[in-house]
Amino acid sequence: MILREEWTPPPVAEVLAVYAGRSKDTATAMRGAARVRDSLDRARLAANQRRTAQNAAKRSTQRSA
């Protein structure tokens, strides 16, 4: 029987301490936010297209019977 220690994440203050002395770079933050928005928009569009194709496939198979 192997006993394992339960893993716990480090305290938030310890993790964020690395970033405490850094200044905010607004231009980089805006570019990053824009990239995230673009990625989410592409994912949403792909999901809509997939859903439309699935619905079309369901409709075409239901009428054949």
Side-chain angles (χ1 to χ4, degrees):
M1 183 160 89
I2 299 173
L3 296 175
R4 294 185 181 188
E5 289 185 17
E6 190 174 325
W7 184 83
T8 57
V12 174
E14 185 179 311
V15 174
L16 295 180
V18 178
Y19 302 101
R22 296 185 184 181
S23 61
K24 181 179 176 185
D25 184 2
T26 306
T28 303
M30 295 294 282
R31 279 196 307 271
R35 291 172 72 183
V36 169
R37 277 193 303 275
D38 289 344
S39 175
L40 289 173
D41 288 343
R42 282 193 307 271
R44 194 174 296 121
L45 180 63
N48 284 339
Q49 289 175 342
R50 193 169 44 251
R51 197 175 306 115
T52 302
Q54 287 173 346
N55 288 340
K58 282 182 188 177
R59 271 188 253 116
S60 67
T61 57
Q62 287 175 351
R63 292 182 182 161
S64 65

